[in-house]
Amino acid sequence: MIIDCHGHYTVLPKAHDAWREAQVAAFNAGTPVPPYPDIPDSEIRETIEANQLRLVKERGADMTIFSPRASAMAPHVGDEAVAIEWATRCNDLIARVVAMYPETFVGVCMLPQSPQADLAGSIAELERCVGMGFIGCNLNPDPGGGHFTAPPLTDRFWYPFYEKMVELDVPAMIHVSGSCNPGLHATGAFYIAADTIAFMQLIEGDLFKDFPTLRFIIPHGGGAVPYHWGRYRGLADMLKQPDLSTHVMNNVFFDTCVYHQPGINLLADVIEKKNILFGSEMVGAVRGIDPQTGFYFDDTKRYVDNLDISAEEKAMIFEGNARRVFPRLDANLKARGL
Amino acid sequence: MIIDCHGHYTVLPKAHDAWREAQVAAFNAGTPVPPYPDIPDSEIRETIEANQLRLVKERGADMTIFSPRASAMAPHVGDEAVAIEWATRCNDLIARVVAMYPETFVGVCMLPQSPQADLAGSIAELERCVGMGFIGCNLNPDPGGGHFTAPPLTDRFWYPFYEKMVELDVPAMIHVSGSCNPGLHATGAFYIAADTIAFMQLIEGDLFKDFPTLRFIIPHGGGAVPYHWGRYRGLADMLKQPDLSTHVMNNVFFDTCVYHQPGINLLADVIEKKNILFGSEMVGAVRGIDPQTGFYFDDTKRYVDNLDISAEEKAMIFEGNARRVFPRLDANLKARGL
């Protein structure tokens, strides 16, 4: 079974996107937010079947762990009430997709992390979504949108949220959103920088002493981390931290959203297979065809297929690790006899 | 000949560091800055011979392109006058090292880029240092120190400085300094994030159309870029930019400050050899011994030696590319019959 741990609903019913624009405009104008539109199932089917579902099938995956469009989470827009309603609407749409295609999609929620707010709204939304069958969340380490003003992920600011994650036994993908910094391109700079920064925060701190069962996925192949694995091992040593294998890597996982074969080869070479989850970031950051290969850049299954590793290791990357990191997915699949 | 393009003077005469503390304290107290101390040649010899020179010799390099300690440039501390005097003192110390060991060291200057100031002070300091025989500079893309508030490197804000670089025919290493952001560890997060962000800025812009001979070295192996080379090629395509080989890679170079063999293998696999300069970042970010190899993490010559590439390609990485990127170094060596 092939489970893509990193898919976003990026081609959406037009009425949903239009409502978001109206919501933000109403906030800026100080006028009431218009009611959320009735979106018929047919429109959801249309967007999903022409895009995500088609690509999942064409590329040979079985399931996608599906969350709202990351670049549009934009918690820095508006205030907390805006963020809460937007997260609710986006997550509800994911729930509808999952209800329509339960054999292919399973939900991960976004959170209403308004930069000035505490995490109470995010805790409530996580509980609500897990109640609807979601199996994890996307946690934004820089809800301010590109100036890295939030406390490090090891700060006690985040602890109430981590307590809820542990209680519900759900992991978080550490995922920033759109950039409001003209120097930081969202998918080319902000995402990769934030991934790298998050990992270094975890090296510096001792978060997993306090939360031994907390689990994070650092997407986009772990940012720069595998390429600089020697630097991170060396820095842990200089900071008198334990070896990364016990200090961080019982709790942190990288996806395979690295868009060329040499990158995936490096990932599988330096990072233990138990820490790698197949992911593609579809339909997302890079949509074109690689002229060097003739295949889509984000057809990452192809790169994993080409790895010179055992069938057991491939099965871990494609399925086993996702079931371990997302216990609610495992339970869901077992209930379906899978 | 083996030229290390990335060395910092990190173990310094104590009086120099003490003066810096006094300078900052005086700024904060609003009192006069104490006079800069007389530092005898013997103290400089002691720090250099016990550290940089010893390691250069032990590891088999011939020359180091040498600049002030990057993490201590700290242009966000004090005001522009503080930054100008600090840069002057640090660069003068480099000039003294170079005068004492001209066969081993050649100077690259830091710049007094105070966050609120324009680049006039940096232009003046670059001219002064090139007049003393320096061959390049370290340009800080985030002088604010960890919140990425400066304009992108493609912004016209930087153009007066680039004009001077082109006029003097000197390259810049894009290098941030210490972090004043508790979420960004300097050498583990800020450096690597800033390298990655800089490269994406260059993809988004068209800087080298305006400055076809401008040259940047992005250190630390180019941040995350080689690992995500497919992503960057794909993003250039999505942004309707030319192929990276012509859009950026006639002007941008990566060093080999990647502290494990698989990382250097990837670098040499995906990046053209003409764009790679040997560098170690000594004595710097990671000082320990890799328990997996028994050798120092930052003994990067060893990784380059191990590459499965031709002798001509190794000579480009160790010498030829540095002479091409730093024409004033080439002239200096030719004048010495090298």
Side-chain angles (χ1 to χ4, degrees), chain A residues 146-149 152 181-185 187-189 191-193 196-197 200-201 204 220-224 226-235 237-239 257-260 262-264 266-267 269-270 281 284-292 297, chain B residues 146-149 152 181-185 187-189 191-193 196-197 200-201 204 220-224 226-235 237-239 257-260 262-264 266-267 269-270 281 284-292 297:
Chain A
H147 290 291
F148 300 99
T149 46
N181 182 337
L184 265 69
H185 183 274
T187 54
Y191 284 18
I192 307 298
T196 309
I197 289 166
M200 189 65 212
Q201 291 173 352
E204 280 195 277
H220 321 108
Y227 176 50
H228 285 286
W229 194 236
R231 174 174 291 254
Y232 292 105
R233 290 194 290 109
L235 284 170
D237 176 58
M238 276 177 80
L239 294 168
C257 298
V258 178
Y259 293 158
H260 63 152
I264 296 285
L266 175 88
L267 174 68
D269 184 16
V270 301
E281 203 185 353
V286 175
R287 299 178 187 222
I289 290 175
D290 185 345
Q292 293 184 8
F297 282 108
Chain B
H147 291 291
F148 299 99
T149 46
N181 182 338
L184 265 69
H185 184 274
T187 53
Y191 284 16
I192 307 297
T196 309
I197 289 166
M200 189 64 213
Q201 292 173 352
E204 280 194 276
H220 321 109
Y227 177 49
H228 285 287
W229 194 235
R231 174 175 291 254
Y232 292 105
R233 288 193 291 109
L235 283 170
D237 176 56
M238 277 178 79
L239 293 168
C257 298
V258 178
Y259 293 157
H260 62 153
I264 295 286
L266 175 87
L267 174 67
D269 184 14
V270 300
E281 204 185 352
V286 176
R287 300 177 187 226
I289 290 174
D290 186 345
Q292 293 183 5
F297 281 108

Side-chain angles (χ1 to χ4, degrees), chain B residues 101 120 249 317:
Chain B
Y101 306 95
M249 298 308 280
I317 293 172

Side-chain angles (χ1 to χ4, degrees), chain B residues 155-176:
Chain B
D155 191 277
R156 286 186 175 265
F157 168 79
W158 304 96
Y159 274 34
F161 190 77
Y162 298 154
E163 283 161 13
K164 184 54 69 179
M165 284 174 60
V166 167
E167 178 195 320
L168 298 172
D169 205 11
V170 295
M173 181 174 278
I174 305 298
H175 205 309
V176 291

Side-chain angles (χ1 to χ4, degrees), chain B residues 21-45:
Chain B
E21 281 183 37
Q23 184 206 26
V24 174
F27 173 81
N28 291 332
T31 55
V33 181
Y36 189 79
D38 278 329
I39 296 175
D41 283 359
S42 61
E43 266 194 66
I44 293 177
R45 285 193 193 283

